[in-house]
Amino acid sequence: MKFAFTDEQDMFRDTVRDLFADLCPPEAVRASWDNEDGRVPGLWDALAEMGVLAVLAPEDAGGLGMDEVGLVRILEEAGYAGVPEPLMEHAAVAVPALAEAGSELIEAAIGGATRYSVALSGGGPNVLAAASVDALVAEDDGALVAVPADAFTVTGAESIDQSRRLARVELTGECADLGGADAALANDRAALGTAAQCIGVARRLLDATVEYVGERHQFGKPVGSYQAVKHHLANVRIGIEFSAPLVYRAAWSVAHPETHDPVTRGRDVSMAKSTASDAVDEACRAALQCHGAIGYTFEYDLQLWLKRGWALAATYGDARGHRDRVADALEI
Amino acid sequence: MDLELASRYIDFREECRSWLQANNPGQIASMDTPEGFEVHREWERVLFDGGWSVPGWPTACGGRDCDLIEWLIYEEEYWLSGVPGRVSANGVNLLAPTIFNFGTQEQQDYFLPKMASGEHIWAQGWSEPEAGSDLAAIKTKAIRDGDHYVLNGQKTWCSRGAFADWIFCIVRTDPEAERHAGLTYLLVPADAPGMERRPIGRLDGEPGFAELFFDNCRVSVDNVLGEEGQGWAVAMAAAGSERGLNLRSPGRFMAAVERLTALVRAMKEQDHDVDARLRDEVTDAWIKAQAYRWQTYQLAAGLMEGAEIGSEASLGKVFWSELDLELHATALRLLGDTGEVVDDNDWLDGYVFALSGPIYAGTNEIQRNIIAERVLGLPRR
């Protein structure tokens, strides 16, 4: 029993964090709101080169052969940076599904040449980046299939987070069967990956707000010196403190099917997503309240993370839905 | 990361579980009654004789040298087994770490074994009528007179203080010094001449705490813990333990939420409706207990590598005390209009006790200030 990350996992996380800080600063996230495809120029190729897309691919398929425990911390950083790419969908769901199906499509996926999103039952009707990706891993009648871009049509749906380019998709052409890949597992991976991003968004909102209330003065002193403001932010910190370990714990469950049957895995993932959704919801509300009117403007960057937080809290199951699944596992 | 228990831990859990099962005395009277206090002292002796009263301590002091993971497993099994609570908790959890850190060899040799066996039950004498959240406002004076201090003043909200054998106090040895300076950590025997104690009825009516009055009470200088005048620093070392995982380990809440889910299942079997909202509350409590558990295992991994818990302990204190309150409130909502009936109603007892959680060991308002200022770095003023 050792609930700690390895030095290797820490170092990889730090490297990716630096990459995001470099290539995906707030200006780049904001630019992705207005450009044609909602992307950050150069980021995807850099992620491919660093191996981030290949974290869950086995080494004999050219991947890094790491597991979900290593990946969730990367996704946490993606949430922190506000990365608009379908990184979670690609790296946490599509790549391992292709690997488990033994599909030769994996090579182009981990190299970044084929950029995937996913269309899963747990993700609702709208698919992230559907119009710009090269392919989907889709759930079709309970089974997973790989769908090239010419085999599905898209109908756009505008998200309040305009860096999340959503669309409804309809499968119209020939799909590659991914027999051997498990749709329930894919849904759990997506919920887990979303939970990790929620933690990152919550941390970003907290950091931004701590900085702001330290600088903003009213009545001759920083607003962050007032107890009412302090207590809002202490609550956000508590929410993060007690949800992040459940995300890591769920990553361990997903990564160890030999000791975690699907019910236990699903319970652990749902614990993670329900608490992470609650944590980011609370972070959004407190961050906006502590910023006051400036936080309510379109111009100020806080809104980028507020809207991401709202979206991710509800995507791949909201807190209440996931608690229902935990309740079922508890047989209450 | 490795979240599987090594076989030695699995064996340890089994050993712990079977001993507790075999030695469970069943329901005994409340520790906050005169007779219940003594029955609980006997239970401490049973634990001690079995080697289970202070498993985390060195064997030389009556423990079994458990590492932190073993201690957490022990706590999980302890609370799950349904054996009585620990009348020695204040001493074992709050004072002992301070004695290990600051006590002289003589103090360690004298006090620790007696604490482990239940011969000495300890109470905490920190708060005063004018020094609650603002602990540094302590006024009780202890003026040196030869090889004794002469104490004058008053302590209050002294948990277990009505029946305890010893009190660990913070007193002002330098009346000229202000606030955090001039304080001293002093161990006071309950039979010290010049000390009078008056039990205070707690919310449940039992004398769960006491006021202490010092009227020229004489205490030997040998009973100073740490240096004279260093009381604040010495005490704060224990405050970390008090708020952190020592005082309320996850096992306590993990056991409580298992009872809560069992209550729901039992109600459903008897065809009672459990509405969706209550089911959600129960699940939320269950998840939070697991969250506290895994957060603690994460902390433990750090501690075992030499990290220390500082102000972060306040995060846990707020979390577990509010979880405890919520889970008991949920249970009472499940019981509905029978919840107020006191006979055989552990949930009601637990609720009344849980109400004190956000107040004792530093109110949750103070904890949130600490989190904001020392963890997040917000300006103090």
Side-chain angles (χ1 to χ4, degrees):
Chain A
M1 169 66 69
K2 188 177 180 186
F3 198 127
F5 295 97
T6 62
D7 290 345
E8 188 194 19
Q9 287 165 338
D10 282 341
M11 270 161 46
F12 192 51
R13 191 268 314 261
D14 292 348
T15 310
V16 179
R17 182 186 349 212
D18 293 346
L19 177 79
F20 288 149
D22 225 22
L23 293 182
C24 192
E27 310 84 77
V29 179
R30 189 174 277 277
S32 79
W33 278 51
D34 299 320
N35 65 19
E36 198 188 332
D37 56 8
R39 301 189 60 186
V40 174
L43 181 58
W44 192 260
D45 291 342
L47 289 169
E49 194 170 328
M50 197 174 269
V52 176
L53 306 182
V55 167
L56 292 191
E59 285 175 88
D60 58 18
L64 299 191
M66 291 169 67
D67 64 16
E68 282 79 0
V69 175
L71 184 61
V72 287
R73 302 186 82 210
I74 306 294
L75 296 173
E76 206 175 312
E77 294 303 323
Y80 191 91
V83 171
E85 294 281 354
L87 174 62
M88 187 285 284
E89 289 74 4
H90 182 103
V93 184
V95 164
L98 294 171
E100 280 149 11
S103 168
E104 61 195 19
L105 296 170
I106 195 165
E107 193 180 332
I110 63 179
T114 312
R115 184 166 155 268
Y116 281 86
S117 186
V118 294
L120 302 175
S121 56
N126 298 308
V127 173
L128 182 67
S132 71
V133 291
D134 306 304
L136 296 176
V137 165
E139 189 176 343
D140 187 23
D141 237 356
L144 293 180
V145 291
V147 194
D150 60 8
F152 64 91
T153 58
V154 299
T155 312
E158 193 177 335
S159 168
I160 189 167
D161 175 356
Q162 290 175 36
S163 64
R164 284 174 57 82
R165 301 297 172 88
L166 301 179
R168 289 173 185 256
V169 303
E170 194 176 341
L171 307 188
T172 52
E174 192 149 331
C175 307
D177 182 41
L178 295 178
D182 174 10
L185 176 56
N187 276 290
D188 277 343
R189 284 191 174 122
L192 172 66
T194 308
Q197 293 178 92
C198 287
I199 300 294
V201 173
R203 288 193 203 278
R204 180 63 170 252
L205 287 163
L206 180 59
D207 285 355
T209 310
V210 165
E211 189 180 343
Y212 180 77
V213 301
E215 289 165 0
R216 167 76 175 165
H217 279 61
Q218 286 289 274
F219 305 103
K221 50 185 197 171
V223 295
S225 65
Y226 292 100
Q227 190 158 268
V229 172
K230 285 178 174 167
H231 287 193
H232 278 310
L233 297 181
N235 288 339
V236 175
R237 183 66 180 73
I238 291 166
I240 294 169
E241 178 77 11
F242 291 93
S243 52
L246 286 180
V247 173
Y248 309 146
R249 197 269 172 274
W252 174 266
S253 295
V254 174
H256 292 273
E258 71 286 0
T259 44
H260 295 81
D261 62 31
V263 173
T264 308
R265 178 192 77 213
R267 183 201 67 189
D268 291 350
V269 167
S270 286
M271 287 203 285
K273 183 59 167 66
S274 67
T275 55
S277 288
D278 280 343
V280 76
D281 265 337
E282 181 163 34
C284 286
R285 293 185 67 156
L288 176 55
Q289 186 65 26
C290 294
H291 273 79
I294 189 75
Y296 196 72
T297 63
F298 199 79
E299 298 306 314
Y300 196 74
D301 283 342
L302 189 74
Q303 65 125 348
L304 303 175
W305 280 272
L306 290 177
K307 291 170 180 175
R308 185 67 59 81
W310 301 337
L312 293 179
T315 302
Y316 291 106
D318 64 7
R320 178 71 188 260
H322 278 288
R323 278 199 299 271
D324 267 345
R325 194 160 73 134
V326 175
D328 290 341
L330 293 174
E331 298 175 348
I332 60 169
Chain B
M1 184 172 294
D2 179 5
L3 301 189
E4 303 304 326
L5 285 177
S7 62
R8 73 183 176 91
Y9 288 126
I10 295 171
D11 295 344
F12 176 84
R13 186 189 288 284
E14 193 46 52
E15 184 187 355
C16 190
R17 180 177 297 185
S18 41
W19 188 89
L20 287 162
Q21 259 171 15
N23 292 277
N24 187 350
Q27 192 107 7
I28 58 178
S30 159
M31 69 174 79
D32 292 311
T33 58
E35 58 286 357
F37 189 87
E38 290 310 319
V39 185
H40 275 79
R41 190 200 295 276
E42 285 163 28
W43 168 237
E44 291 294 329
R45 182 73 207 192
V46 174
L47 284 167
F48 177 73
D49 289 340
W52 292 106
S53 73
V54 286
W57 290 13
T59 40
C61 307
R64 53 172 71 208
D65 245 331
C66 283
D67 68 22
L68 209 38
I69 302 293
E70 286 171 325
W71 183 76
L72 289 167
I73 292 170
Y74 160 79
E75 285 278 312
E76 289 175 12
E77 291 303 321
Y78 189 94
W79 293 103
L80 205 55
S81 71
V83 296
R86 301 293 302 272
V87 70
S88 67
N90 287 334
V92 169
N93 296 322
L94 309 182
L95 172 61
T98 315
I99 294 185
F100 278 115
N101 277 336
F102 296 95
T104 62
Q105 193 60 51
E106 290 73 23
Q107 287 173 330
Q108 296 192 9
D109 293 345
Y110 178 73
F111 287 118
L112 292 171
K114 289 180 163 54
M115 190 190 298
S117 68
E119 184 180 338
H120 288 173
I121 304 290
W122 287 83
Q124 185 183 37
W126 289 15
S127 294
E128 297 183 0
E130 300 303 325
S133 287
D134 184 10
L135 189 61
I138 280 172
K139 285 192 195 136
T140 296
K141 283 194 201 115
I143 305 301
R144 182 85 183 244
D145 177 25
D147 55 3
H148 280 76
Y149 290 103
V150 179
L151 274 62
N152 280 285
Q154 183 185 349
K155 293 285 176 187
T156 192
W157 318 132
C158 182
S159 293
R160 309 284 103 71
F163 313 114
D165 308 293
W166 281 79
I167 330 277
F168 52 104
C169 294
I170 308 174
V171 293
R172 195 165 286 287
T173 41
D174 180 359
E176 304 301 314
E178 289 192 4
R179 306 290 300 162
H180 308 87
L183 298 173
T184 297
Y185 202 113
L186 190 64
L187 308 177
V188 179
D191 59 2
M195 188 185 88
E196 189 196 332
R197 51 182 168 179
R198 196 175 298 163
I200 304 173
R202 214 168 39 181
L203 194 56
D204 62 1
E206 304 292 0
F209 40 33
E211 292 174 290
L212 309 177
F213 299 91
F214 301 102
D215 180 12
N216 289 322
C217 168
R218 295 181 72 82
V219 177
S220 165
V221 294
D222 293 340
N223 291 351
V224 170
L225 196 51
E227 301 288 314
E228 180 181 300
Q230 294 300 308
W232 185 263
V234 175
M236 285 309 107
S241 312
E242 179 172 18
R243 290 166 194 157
L245 50 94
N246 277 22
L247 181 61
R248 300 282 181 257
S249 71
R252 186 183 184 107
F253 308 105
M254 288 165 60
V257 295
E258 290 306 331
R259 286 195 276 275
L260 190 59
T261 52
L263 175 64
V264 173
R265 285 191 286 267
M267 288 174 70
K268 285 177 137 181
E269 273 164 28
Q270 291 158 21
D271 291 329
H272 284 293
D273 245 7
V274 174
D275 79 31
R277 189 179 171 132
L278 280 172
R279 181 180 188 252
D280 190 52
E281 284 180 21
V282 170
T283 312
D284 192 45
W286 194 86
I287 293 171
K288 283 182 169 144
Q290 310 309 312
Y292 184 35
R293 177 190 197 205
W294 291 108
Q295 188 262 1
T296 301
Y297 275 109
Q298 198 176 19
L299 272 183
L303 291 169
M304 289 165 82
E305 302 270 300
E308 286 179 17
I309 305 184
S311 316
E312 294 82 6
S314 295
L315 297 162
K317 199 270 162 165
V318 173
F319 190 78
W320 61 247
S321 59
E322 295 183 357
L323 163 61
D324 200 28
L325 192 47
E326 284 163 24
L327 81 89
H328 283 93
T330 297
L332 290 185
R333 279 193 283 275
L334 281 165
L335 295 178
D337 52 14
T338 60
E340 70 170 307
V341 177
V342 296
D343 289 340
D344 280 335
N345 191 347
D346 288 343
W347 290 114
L348 185 57
D349 293 343
Y351 177 68
V352 172
F353 182 70
L355 283 168
S356 64
I359 301 171
Y360 65 70
T363 65
N364 285 10
E365 286 70 25
I366 294 289
Q367 305 306 327
R368 285 186 165 92
N369 290 351
I370 293 172
I371 293 164
E373 291 163 14
R374 297 190 214 155
V375 180
L376 298 178
L378 291 178
R380 288 203 66 188
R381 51 177 61 90

